[in-house]
Amino acid sequence: MEQPTGSPVRVCQFSPDSTCLVSGAADGTVVLWNAQSYKLYRCGSVKDGSLVACAFSPNGNLFVTGSSCGDLTVWDDKMRCLHSEKAHDLGITCCDFSSQPVSDGERGLQFFRLASCGQDCQIKIWVVSFTHIFGFELKYKSTLSGHCAPVLACAFSHNGQMLVSGSVDKSVIVYDTNTESVLHTLTQHTRYVTSCAFAPNTLLLATGSMDKTVNIWQFDLETPCQARSTEDQAKQFTEDWSEDDVSVWLCAQGLSDLVGIFKMNNIDGRELLNLTKESLADDLKIESLGLRSKVLRKIEELRTKVKTLSSGIPDEFLCPITRELMKDPVIASDGYSYEKEAMENWISKKKRTSPMTNLVLPSVVLTPNRTLKMAISRWLETHQK
């Protein structure tokens, strides 16, 4: 099955009954395939941008596509475009339908919740319905707050009671879909959170990150944990850690074998941040070179978080290479933004791979990111005042 226009496919999705398949391409074309005969059924396209997101409604009557230009487009099962509107200014990144319907109350109709996420750091909730009697309706409901950087992933729980999101700010946020309040803010990932998924039949959540890990979370709905306060989150990455806090951190990093050594030497948060290669070998007597290197890497990641939080600089304003505030941001062919000089130096050293993904860069052309540069300028003006 080849995309008719020959453009690279960016997203695909089966219908709930598995009879149809939608594929969206980089040139904005949308194809509805017959998943049983493997033949093209209908073809359409969006006005601008690449297609980067797609989701079927639970009843299969319609599907939604999202573009890199921020347009949310709704199609019926005959590929007729029912509605299109600008949902996210800087581009859509993902979307998902809740599998559980919501009752109208007035006309006895059933609606479905739709979540869309974007480069504008927002998660928007929509209510969607489509019946042959009343026709199609798409209503904007609300915007969920919490992330301070582009939101890369979202997913509804199987029962529709929770929505999870992952962001460039390295955090995972779990929302109650009824009250739209934050239930949990998870900050264990050390790089961008790129994916998240709820298990269908158990209270498990998986989150994937550019830090090369997948974290599994177990929910206890009897004692829902509210989000940590700003002070609690700040304390998590400061020198205020107790020895017990350090022990918890070691276990979270897969270094539980070192808990006894660290406790024996009374290593608290301040001491942890000051550890060096020499002190790990000479004072703590950690003989394994590989283990010392792993500990140092984890401590360096922690120092970076401390520096970022203490400066208050939004993470998306920092160059992934230098971890400093960008002055002249550019977009590379991997889709990420970097400080121009840092990326030019990276490429000049014959590194044709992406600093973020380690994949080969399709092109070494760097495009000025004027939107990000203006956002940084506005942030600087505000904080200088």
Side-chain angles (χ1 to χ4, degrees), residues 306-376:
V306 172
K307 183 178 179 182
T308 301
L309 281 174
S310 61
S311 66
I313 301 173
D315 194 70
E316 67 270 24
F317 293 171
L318 301 176
C319 172
I321 298 173
T322 64
R323 299 301 300 167
E324 295 178 355
L325 184 68
M326 288 185 276
K327 299 177 181 176
D328 190 7
V330 293
I331 304 173
S333 57
D334 60 358
Y336 293 96
S337 293
Y338 306 90
E339 177 61 38
K340 182 179 180 182
E341 183 179 354
M343 194 57 185
E344 287 176 342
N345 289 338
W346 178 277
I347 295 171
S348 69
K349 293 176 182 176
K350 298 183 179 179
K351 293 181 180 177
R352 285 294 300 266
T353 56
S354 162
M356 293 299 295
T357 67
N358 289 327
L359 299 176
V360 176
L361 291 168
S363 166
V364 294
V365 174
L366 302 176
T367 306
N369 191 338
R370 295 185 177 87
T371 302
L372 180 57
K373 189 172 184 177
M374 287 190 293
I376 293 172

Side-chain angles (χ1 to χ4, degrees), residues 183-312:
L183 293 176
H184 309 271
T185 300
L186 312 171
T187 57
Q188 277 74 3
H189 282 298
T190 58
R191 300 292 294 273
Y192 299 178
V193 179
T194 54
S195 56
C196 49
F198 280 102
N201 302 313
T202 59
L203 294 176
L204 292 177
L205 166 68
T207 59
S209 167
M210 296 292 288
D211 63 12
K212 305 176 185 177
T213 67
V214 176
N215 287 342
I216 305 294
W217 310 89
Q218 174 82 53
F219 286 97
D220 178 5
L221 291 185
E222 306 225 343
T223 56
C225 172
Q226 296 302 314
R228 297 187 193 95
S229 67
T230 304
E231 287 127 3
D232 290 337
Q233 290 187 36
K235 181 183 176 183
Q236 189 177 14
F237 302 116
T238 65
E239 298 177 349
D240 298 335
W241 275 0
S242 66
E243 293 176 23
D244 288 336
D245 291 330
V246 172
S247 297
V248 171
W249 176 80
L250 286 169
C251 292
Q253 308 306 315
L255 299 168
S256 55
D257 291 345
L258 298 179
V259 169
I261 296 174
F262 275 60
K263 280 208 165 191
M264 190 185 305
N265 288 273
N266 305 114
I267 304 297
D268 57 13
R270 185 183 295 272
E271 293 293 334
L272 178 68
L273 293 174
N274 290 326
L275 288 177
T276 63
K277 180 172 61 176
E278 291 74 20
S279 60
L280 288 175
D282 301 336
D283 300 333
L284 301 188
K285 308 298 183 185
I286 299 176
E287 297 180 0
S288 169
L289 176 60
L291 190 54
R292 289 201 302 270
S293 298
K294 182 178 180 180
V295 174
L296 283 174
R297 281 198 307 273
K298 296 296 183 182
I299 292 174
E300 189 55 42
E301 290 171 0
L302 196 59
R303 288 178 184 139
T304 300
K305 285 189 175 182
V306 172
K307 183 178 179 182
T308 301
L309 281 174
S310 61
S311 66

